[in-house]
């Protein structure tokens, strides 16, 4: 069974939702039969690379809330994250474009390091003091921590077209599936879960998706005798 997760590194609920999903998956009896794929979704796709601002300023400008409301919201998110065992800095973080990070996540997918890099980016954005938005070398450092080659990472960062099509394809697919926000979880292209749901909801979704899988129905001439190759070799015509 495949679970696809659309998320953004700038999304605190994606950070929390990933932890909750992983708790449900760890307790799932068929967890070894579940493939998890992370897909790109930018909350701010038109944001320029050099447009970086404090999170509190972004929240007050984008959502029209007061600074006190923004601070209270960050405090609440910090408590939600702590409940899942996650570190979360409620003050002093900044916000910017995540496009380069998504491009690097596609590089990491090819290297089998996508999960490790996503965790590194989440930690860098939500827990560490250094920004992930104002210095490409910070992204290089986090990528190397996740097992990627520094030269390969710098090559991607130097070429804005590298993996750009893959990021945009993920985002188009999210729109086609009806995702308007993240995190968005799709189980075997049959079940969808929106938001950072409780662990129990993810557990229910995994069980339902696993139990709802439809066995393949063979289509043949009726006798199943067409030639084929298998573990023991290939059928050899005897005529």
């Amino acid at each position: 069974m495949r679970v696809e997760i659309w998320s953004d590194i700038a999304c605190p609920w994606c950070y929390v939702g990933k932890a909750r999903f992983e708790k449900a998956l760890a307790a799932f009896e068929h967890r070894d039969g579940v493939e998890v794929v992370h897909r790109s979704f930018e909350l701010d796709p038109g944001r320029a690379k050099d447009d970086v601002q404090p999170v509190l300023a972004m929240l007050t400008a984008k959502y029209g809330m007061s600074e006190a409301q923004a601070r209270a919201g960050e405090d609440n998110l910090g408590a939600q994250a702590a409940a899942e065992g996650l570190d979360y800095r409620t003050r002093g973080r900044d916000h910017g474009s995540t496009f380069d990070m998504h491009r690097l996540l596609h590089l990491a997918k090819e290297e089998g390091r996508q999960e490790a890099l996503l965790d590194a980016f989440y930690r860098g954005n939500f827990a560490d003091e250094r920004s992930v938005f104002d210095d490409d070398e910070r992204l290089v450092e986090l990528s190397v921590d996740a097992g990627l080659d520094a030269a390969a990472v710098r090559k991607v960062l130097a070429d804005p077209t590298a993996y750009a099509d893959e990021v945009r394809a993920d985002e188009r697919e999210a729109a086609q599936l009806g995702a308007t926000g993240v995190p968005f979880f799709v189980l075997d292209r049959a079940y969808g879960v929106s938001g950072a749901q409780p662990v129990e909801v993810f557990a229910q979704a995994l069980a339902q998706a696993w139990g709802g899988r439809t066995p393949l129905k063979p289509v043949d001439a009726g006798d199943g005798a067409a030639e084929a190759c298998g573990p023991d070799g290939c059928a050899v015509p005897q005529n």
Side-chain angles (χ1 to χ4, degrees), residues 138-206:
R138 176 59 172 152
L139 299 185
V140 174
E141 177 185 293
L142 291 170
S143 298
V144 169
D145 288 347
L148 296 180
D149 176 70
V153 172
R154 290 191 179 99
K155 183 177 180 180
V156 170
L157 291 172
D159 178 6
T161 67
Y163 298 101
D165 288 345
E166 287 82 350
V167 174
R168 298 307 181 209
D170 276 357
E171 293 173 338
R172 286 194 301 271
E173 197 164 14
Q176 291 166 0
L177 290 170
T180 57
V182 284
F184 184 63
F185 302 77
V186 177
L187 294 79
D188 257 3
R189 291 297 171 108
Y191 298 87
V193 179
S194 297
Q197 298 285 348
V199 174
E200 295 77 10
V201 173
F202 286 123
Q204 179 184 352
L206 286 166

Side-chain angles (χ1 to χ4, degrees), residues 21 27 32 42-43 55 58 64 81 86 93-94 101 134 148 155 175 185 192 207-208 218 220 222 225 238:
F21 170 77
D32 291 339
E42 294 171 276
L43 291 172
V55 165
M58 179 275 292
L86 301 172
R93 293 191 303 108
D94 57 8
M101 284 181 272
D134 64 358
L148 296 180
K155 183 177 180 180
F185 302 77
Q208 188 172 351
D220 54 35
Q238 299 301 309

Side-chain angles (χ1 to χ4, degrees), residues 59-233:
L59 292 173
T60 57
K62 187 172 184 177
Y63 300 107
M65 59 178 64
S66 68
E67 185 170 332
Q69 289 173 318
R71 289 178 180 273
E74 283 293 282
D75 289 340
N76 176 57
L77 281 163
Q80 297 273 356
E84 305 305 331
L86 301 172
D87 292 328
Y88 189 101
R89 293 178 62 229
T90 60
R91 299 291 184 272
R93 293 191 303 108
D94 57 8
H95 177 79
S97 170
T98 57
F99 185 57
D100 283 350
M101 284 181 272
H102 283 294
R103 295 194 301 118
L104 290 173
L105 284 167
H106 279 278
L107 168 67
K109 182 181 178 182
E110 291 184 350
E111 300 293 328
R113 307 300 301 170
Q114 188 186 46
E115 188 87 30
L117 184 58
L118 182 58
D119 286 339
F121 283 161
Y122 275 143
R123 184 187 71 247
N125 185 39
F126 292 109
D128 295 348
E129 291 189 10
R130 290 181 59 192
S131 173
V132 296
F133 298 108
D134 64 358
D135 183 4
D136 280 355
E137 283 304 303
R138 176 59 172 152
L139 299 185
V140 174
E141 177 185 293
L142 291 170
S143 298
V144 169
D145 288 347
L148 296 180
D149 176 70
V153 172
R154 290 191 179 99
K155 183 177 180 180
V156 170
L157 291 172
D159 178 6
T161 67
Y163 298 101
D165 288 345
E166 287 82 350
V167 174
R168 298 307 181 209
D170 276 357
E171 293 173 338
R172 286 194 301 271
E173 197 164 14
Q176 291 166 0
L177 290 170
T180 57
V182 284
F184 184 63
F185 302 77
V186 177
L187 294 79
D188 257 3
R189 291 297 171 108
Y191 298 87
V193 179
S194 297
Q197 298 285 348
V199 174
E200 295 77 10
V201 173
F202 286 123
Q204 179 184 352
L206 286 166
Q208 188 172 351
W210 186 272
R213 292 176 303 153
T214 303
L216 289 176
K217 297 180 180 179
V219 177
D220 54 35
D223 57 7
E227 294 80 3
C229 295
D232 298 322

